[in-house]
Amino acid sequence: MEYLIHLGILFTIYAILGISLNLVIGYTGLLSLTHAAFYGIGAYTTAILLTQTGIGFFLSVILGIIFVGIVSFLIGIVLSRFSDDYYALGSLGLNMIIFSIFLNWQSLTKGPLGILGISRPELFGINFSSNFMFLILTLLFLILTYLVARFIVNSSFGRVLKTIREDEKAIQVFGYKTFYFKLAIFVISAAMAAVAGSLFASYITFIDPSSFALMESIFIVAIIILGGLADLRGSILGALFLILLPEVLRFVGFPSEIAAQMRQVVYGVILILLMLYRPQGLIGEYKL
Amino acid sequence: MEIFSQLIFNSIIAGAVYALIALGFNLIYGATKFLNLAHGVMTAIGGYTVFYFTKTLDWNIYLAVIIGILFAGLIGFSLDKFVYFPLRKRKASNMVLLVASFGAFTAIQAIIAILFNSRFQTLSQNTSAQKSFEIFGGVITQTQLIILASAALIMTGLVLLLHKTRFGKAIKAISDDEEVAKIVGINTNKIIGYVFFIGSAIAGFAGILVGFDTGIEPTMGLDLLFKGVIASIVGGIGNLYGGVLGAFLLGFVENFGIWKISGDWKDAIAFALLIVFLIFRPRGIMNK
C-alpha cells in the first residue's frame, strides 16, 4: 500500500509536468526541451530555502514560481525568436547550461552531492509528513494545474496559441504579436513545472542534479507525446502509463541494474513506434 | 607558455574529433534536412564494437577497427531503411524525424549499456607505454597524432568523393532539391541510404579514436553529438566546410574558455556558444 502511494505521488508530479509542457508543445507547437531545468530550479529553490532559512514550504513554492518566472522570462525572450528544430535545439542547449549550473555552482547547490534533509510541508496545523497526506497535497496541486491549464486552452488566448501552431505567419498578418504569446505560455508552463519541482524536493527530501538532466526533459516529452499532444487528459494518461511501465518491467523479473536500462530501451522504442504509426499519441489531436 | 601551447594542442585535437562528427552530421542534414540526433550514438557503437573484438575475442586491432567502422555505418543505414525512410515517404515533419531519431538514440545507448556495462573503459592496450612528444612545451600523444592525421585524411577523401564522382554530384543534387533530383532520374532513397552509411561510419570512427585517446562509455554519444551539432550550427548547417570550421572554433573556445576557470564549465561554454550563434547568426558562419 505504501508503495502504491509512492507511485501515486510520482504520477501526480509527472502529470503536472506533462500538462504544463503540453501547453507549449501540444497547443503552441514549440518543441521545448528545457522543462526539466524549470522543474529543477523549482526543486532547488524549495530545497535551499527549506534547509537554510526558516521559510515554510508554501512560501517557498510561491518564491519558486516567481524565481522560475523570471528565469523562464529571460530564456523565453531568447527562445521565442526561433521555431521548429531550432527551437528544440536552443531549448536543449539552455537545459544543458542550467544543468551545468546545478552541477557546478557548488557553494549554492552542493554540486553532485545534492541537498539533504529537506523537510515536509505543514499548513494550518495539518502535517503532510505522512505519504498519504502528501499524496492528497500533490493531487490538489494536480487538480489546480489541470483547471488552470483547461481555462487557458479554452480561452481566446488558447485559441491564438493553437493558431500559432497551425500557421504562425497567418496570425501575424492579423496583427497578433506571436512573440508575446509564445513568451507568455512559456513562462506559465515553466511556473507550473516549478510547483512540480517544489513538491518533488519536499517529497523525496533529497535532490541532486541528476534528477534534472536532459533525459528528464525527454521523459516528460515522451509522456505527452504518448498520451497525446494538445490533450490535457492525454498527459495524465501518459504519465500514468510511463510511471507504471517500469513496475511492469520489474514484475517481469529483470535485475534492477538492467531494469533501469530496459526502461530507456522501452522509452526509445515507444517514441520510434509512435512517430511511425501514431504521431498524435493515444488520444491527442495534433501531430508534430 | 607551456599552458598556452598545451591549450592549443588540446583545442586542435578536440576540434578534429568534433569535425569528424560534424562532417557526417552535416552530410546527413544536407540530404535529408532533419537533425539526426541518433548520429551521436554511432560513436558508441564504433567504440564498443572495437572493444568487443579486441578485448573479448582478442582479434587483430586493425581488423577490429575496420569492423567497428562498417558496423556503425550499417546501423546508420538500417535506421534510415526502417525508421526514417518510411517517415520520409509519408512526408512526416522534421520534428517527427527528430523525435524518432532521439528515440533511436535512447534505445541503442541503453542496449549498449545492457550488453556491456556502464563503466568507463579504454581501448588502448597499455596506456602507460603510450608514446608522447613534446613540442613547444606542450605534450601530444601518438594516438592524438593519429587522430589529427586520420581526420585530415577523411576530410580530404570526403571532399574528393563529393566533387569528383557521380555519386558526389548526386548527393549535391539531392541537397539542393530532392524532388528535382528525383525527376532527373536519381534514385534518391538509395543515395540517402549510402549517405547514412558514410556519415554514420565516420561517426563510428570518431568514437573509436576517442576510445583510444581517452576511453568509451555507453553515454559518450550524447556529449559528442552535442559537440558535433554545435559545430555544425556554428559553421553553417549542411555545409561541410562550415562544420569543420565550426568544430575547430568550438575546440578553441571550449579549451581557452576554461583557462582561468574550472574545467567543469566546458559544456556550459559550448552551449553558450550555440545560443550566441542561434541568436545572432542562426545560419552559421559559412551559409549565406
Side-chain angles (χ1 to χ4, degrees), chain B residues 189-203:
Chain B
N189 288 317
K190 205 167 112 190
I191 300 278
I192 290 178
Y194 292 150
V195 164
F196 268 94
F197 183 88
I198 296 172
S200 306
I202 297 175

Side-chain angles (χ1 to χ4, degrees), chain A:
Chain A
M1 192 58 204
E2 194 64 5
Y3 192 66
L4 278 182
I5 293 174
H6 167 71
L7 288 180
I9 293 172
L10 285 185
F11 154 70
T12 44
I13 289 174
Y14 280 103
I16 295 174
L17 289 170
I19 288 174
S20 54
L21 188 59
N22 210 343
L23 293 175
V24 176
I25 298 187
Y27 287 93
T28 323
L30 303 167
L31 185 54
S32 164
L33 298 173
T34 334
H35 218 54
F38 301 131
Y39 174 49
I41 296 175
Y44 268 104
T45 310
T46 291
I48 291 165
L49 288 176
L50 288 189
T51 51
Q52 295 187 0
T53 67
I55 287 176
F57 173 78
F58 292 94
L59 189 58
S60 85
V61 172
I62 293 167
L63 290 173
I65 289 176
I66 294 171
F67 184 53
V68 167
I70 296 168
V71 174
S72 63
F73 180 76
L74 296 175
I75 289 180
I77 290 177
V78 175
L79 281 183
S80 299
R81 305 156 59 111
F82 310 141
S83 58
D84 295 337
D85 21 12
Y86 274 68
Y87 193 99
L89 212 57
S91 62
L92 184 153
L94 287 161
N95 195 17
M96 297 298 287
I97 291 175
I98 293 176
F99 176 74
S100 287
I101 295 174
F102 290 153
L103 200 60
N104 296 324
W105 193 351
Q106 305 223 351
S107 56
L108 187 69
T109 64
K110 301 215 172 66
L113 297 175
I115 296 176
L116 282 158
I118 306 157
S119 55
R120 290 280 178 87
E122 208 184 297
L123 186 72
F124 306 133
I126 307 169
N127 193 327
F128 292 98
S129 58
S130 84
N131 280 357
F132 181 69
M133 289 306 285
F134 201 86
L135 177 61
I136 291 175
L137 180 72
T138 54
L139 265 178
L140 285 175
F141 272 108
L142 173 60
I143 293 167
L144 190 69
T145 312
Y146 179 80
L147 292 177
V148 172
R150 204 179 63 172
F151 174 75
I152 290 172
V153 300
N154 289 334
S155 66
S156 60
F157 176 73
R159 284 193 292 278
V160 175
L161 294 182
K162 284 191 203 173
T163 322
I164 292 177
R165 179 186 79 194
E166 297 301 328
D167 194 339
E168 189 172 347
K169 285 262 152 38
I171 193 160
Q172 278 170 344
V173 171
F174 288 106
Y176 285 94
K177 297 263 185 286
T178 54
F179 176 87
Y180 296 107
F181 284 88
K182 283 154 96 173
L183 182 58
I185 195 65
F186 188 73
V187 172
I188 292 170
S189 155
M192 289 174 171
V195 175
S198 298
L199 289 170
F200 177 78
S202 175
Y203 171 61
I204 302 284
T205 70
F206 161 75
I207 56 168
D208 71 342
S210 68
S211 310
F212 314 107
L214 180 69
M215 274 335 247
E216 197 69 10
S217 279
I218 302 292
F219 180 66
I220 308 166
V221 171
I223 285 179
I224 64 170
I225 292 183
L226 174 69
L229 290 168
D231 191 303
L232 296 176
R233 284 162 307 157
S235 302
I236 297 175
L237 191 72
L240 187 66
F241 191 87
L242 284 188
I243 291 294
L244 290 182
L245 183 75
E247 306 309 316
V248 177
L249 289 179
R250 213 164 50 173
F251 189 69
V252 175
F254 289 115
S256 67
E257 216 233 307
I258 292 185
Q261 299 295 343
M262 270 315 282
R263 223 164 70 189
Q264 303 281 340
V265 176
V266 174
Y267 295 157
V269 172
I270 284 179
L271 281 180
I272 297 176
L273 291 180
L274 279 171
M275 289 301 108
L276 277 171
Y277 302 110
R278 209 172 157 76
Q280 73 273 45
L282 294 176
I283 56 175
E285 63 163 47
Y286 166 60
K287 298 180 189 178
L288 266 181

